[in-house]
Amino acid sequence: MDFSLTDGKGFKFVFPVNPEEVTISRQKGFDTTTILSYGEFDFPQGEKVKEISFSSFFPKEYDESYCKYQDIPDPQEAMNTLNGFLLSQKPLRFIISGTSVNVPVIVASHNSTFRGGESGDVNFDLSLRTWREMKVSKKAGSGSKSATVNKKPRTDMKEKKKTYTVKSGDSLSKIAKLELGDSSQWSRIYQLNKKVIGQNPNAIKPGQKLVLS
């Protein structure tokens, strides 16, 4: 059984010492929504990105009892290789021979440890996350491609205008008193609705829709 990372360009990095165990974490994705007066609700959204993690070490000297091959890399060079994978924005392929693990991944974290009594050896913890390419679809009636994105409508931040429909027996001062709490605001209502009312502020008619603010 070999543990390896390949870059798709012919470069293959085989870990010289197999880890004792590998942890593969799978979770179901949820979109959590808060509904007023009812609390939080979870809506399943499919499988989340898997995380694969394991620990091992890069030996300074070859030992046939645990090394997978003789031409083992220098521990410092091996660390630099993992750091390069960590900084790369391109996915790798992680393969465990003899198993069904053969997945595209990105290196999420890489921690190195130097221990006393193990001169030259470098211990490491590695965490990988499975990589998925964003699917792109064509818009109907368009030759260009665009990513499918669910957009929520923007909240309307504009202040809605307050209106009033004139009834029989109304006057501007009466409307100002009832709706604005101040009868002297009639002139302001008139200025806002001069085109609707006309030249005479006392000539309002039932059914006319007036803007109050």
Side-chain angles (χ1 to χ4, degrees), residues 25 41 52 62 96 107 115 120 124 155 159 195 213:
S25 175
F41 289 83
I52 303 171
Y62 170 76
I96 304 178
V107 177
R115 296 174 181 170
F124 69 87
T155 302
E159 184 178 353
K195 289 183 180 180
S213 62

Side-chain angles (χ1 to χ4, degrees), residues 44-56:
Q45 299 294 318
E47 188 178 18
K48 291 180 69 175
V49 173
K50 300 183 186 72
E51 184 170 281
I52 303 171
S53 58
F54 59 90
S55 302
S56 187

Side-chain angles (χ1 to χ4, degrees), residues 152-165:
K152 294 183 179 179
R154 290 184 178 180
T155 302
D156 187 1
M157 301 300 291
K158 294 182 179 179
E159 184 178 353
K160 293 183 178 180
K161 294 182 178 180
K162 185 177 181 180
T163 60
Y164 178 84
T165 302

Side-chain angles (χ1 to χ4, degrees), residues 51-93:
E51 184 170 281
I52 303 171
S53 58
F54 59 90
S55 302
S56 187
F57 71 100
F58 296 122
K60 180 66 176 178
E61 304 292 339
Y62 170 76
D63 188 322
E64 63 178 358
S65 64
Y66 51 76
C67 290
K68 297 295 296 181
Y69 51 92
Q70 288 191 357
D71 191 19
I72 59 174
D74 179 80
Q76 297 294 327
E77 293 180 0
M79 277 200 309
N80 290 338
T81 299
L82 291 187
N83 287 334
F85 289 157
L86 179 66
L87 297 175
S88 176
Q89 296 182 359
K90 295 182 179 180
L92 303 163
R93 183 160 290 276

Side-chain angles (χ1 to χ4, degrees), residues 12-31:
K12 182 177 182 180
F13 180 81
V14 179
F15 291 89
V17 180
N18 284 353
E20 293 184 0
E21 63 180 14
V22 177
T23 301
I24 300 178
S25 175
R26 298 179 178 89
Q27 291 181 319
K28 192 174 187 65
F30 290 93
D31 181 14

Side-chain angles (χ1 to χ4, degrees), residues 78-122:
M79 277 200 309
N80 290 338
T81 299
L82 291 187
N83 287 334
F85 289 157
L86 179 66
L87 297 175
S88 176
Q89 296 182 359
K90 295 182 179 180
L92 303 163
R93 183 160 290 276
F94 178 60
I95 302 171
I96 304 178
S97 63
T99 73
S100 60
V101 178
N102 186 333
V103 291
V105 298
I106 56 172
V107 177
S109 66
H110 165 225
N111 301 312
S112 301
T113 305
F114 299 88
R115 296 174 181 170
E118 300 176 358
S119 179
D121 293 352
V122 177

